[in-house]
Amino acid sequence: QQLKELTSEALTHNVRVQVQVVHSGSGIFVYDQNVRFVNQFLLPKVDDARELAVQEYKSAWSGLFHVTTTLAEGAPARVSAITQSLIPFRPAYIHILRPKAFAEKGVLFEDGVEFLNFDAASAVPAVRIPADLAAPITGSSNTDMNLRRLVREMTEHKRNFDLSVSAETVSFWLRKSQQPVLAVLMVQKAHQ
């Protein structure tokens, strides 16, 4: 409730905001109870808000309707269920870095809050890469270009790994799974 009041105060002077608290009660550690909470309580509220936006703004509603969720702490089952259920709305996230400071002092410190838009806070789901790397993958030419580069780098990395595998690698490093875990990381710096 306290966070709702703070958020409303901070935002309502610039934009029209409706903040709703949906309390889930107990059962936060059991995944199917979280899914039930999301389906029975959370999503109907979002659907009602969306319907009101459609009625008021007609065809312009989709450019004006946004969902933002607050991430502070919580059971992984709860966070996962809520996050996955909201993907169709491409929600932004307010990440409270020090929730105990907020709970104890009742204020949010500027360096204790991080706002992330959906693209910055979301992982790209796995996509099937066509054998023909020239074919479209995601529909975004920039994303496709980066994915093609990652596929080429991973293919080269795996080839080099396969050439360098020794008996020691297999007997010690691969002793449990018998499968190597290889990774390639692509980092895009701001303004590049």
Side-chain angles (χ1 to χ4, degrees):
Q1 185 63 33
Q2 197 175 14
L3 183 58
K4 174 186 177 181
E5 291 166 11
L6 245 168
T7 306
S8 296
E9 276 178 36
L11 296 177
T12 52
H13 64 8
N14 292 327
V15 293
R16 187 169 164 196
V17 174
Q18 179 185 10
V19 178
Q20 289 197 12
V21 174
V22 185
H23 194 284
S24 59
S26 61
I28 63 171
F29 299 107
V30 181
Y31 194 81
D32 66 339
Q33 288 181 17
N34 286 293
V35 171
R36 191 170 21 265
F37 158 73
V38 165
N39 289 333
Q40 291 178 354
F41 299 101
L42 179 63
L43 289 179
K45 286 193 175 283
V46 175
D47 288 337
D48 290 346
R50 179 176 48 185
E51 185 57 36
L52 287 173
V54 170
Q55 290 172 8
E56 186 167 342
Y57 301 110
K58 309 295 182 227
S59 62
W61 79 270
S62 65
L64 300 169
F65 180 79
H66 302 284
V67 174
T68 302
T69 186
T70 304
L71 302 173
E73 56 186 15
R78 170 62 40 89
V79 173
S80 176
I82 291 172
T83 302
Q84 288 180 12
S85 72
L86 293 176
I87 286 174
F89 299 101
R90 299 180 55 79
Y93 297 94
I94 297 173
H95 183 202
I96 299 175
L97 304 169
R98 294 188 310 259
K100 288 184 182 168
F102 172 67
E104 291 168 6
K105 296 188 176 25
V107 294
L108 293 174
F109 298 101
E110 188 175 331
D111 66 342
V113 178
E114 181 179 29
F115 180 84
L116 301 163
N117 67 28
F118 179 77
D119 292 328
S122 301
V124 176
V127 294
R128 184 173 299 282
I129 303 294
D132 173 15
L133 282 182
I137 302 169
T138 66
S140 164
S141 59
N142 192 40
T143 301
D144 287 1
M145 178 184 70
N146 289 333
L147 285 173
R148 286 184 190 99
R149 183 169 179 202
L150 282 171
V151 168
R152 284 193 296 272
E153 292 291 335
M154 179 51 86
T155 303
E156 180 65 18
H157 185 42
K158 183 172 183 332
R159 190 183 67 74
N160 289 337
F161 176 82
D162 289 342
L163 290 173
S164 66
V165 170
S166 66
E168 178 189 0
T169 303
V170 173
S171 65
F172 180 75
W173 293 107
L174 305 179
R175 68 186 179 276
K176 290 183 180 177
S177 68
Q178 298 299 310
Q179 304 248 340
V181 176
L182 304 176
V184 174
L185 174 66
M186 176 181 278
V187 176
Q188 182 175 354
K189 295 180 181 177
H191 311 297
Q192 285 187 351

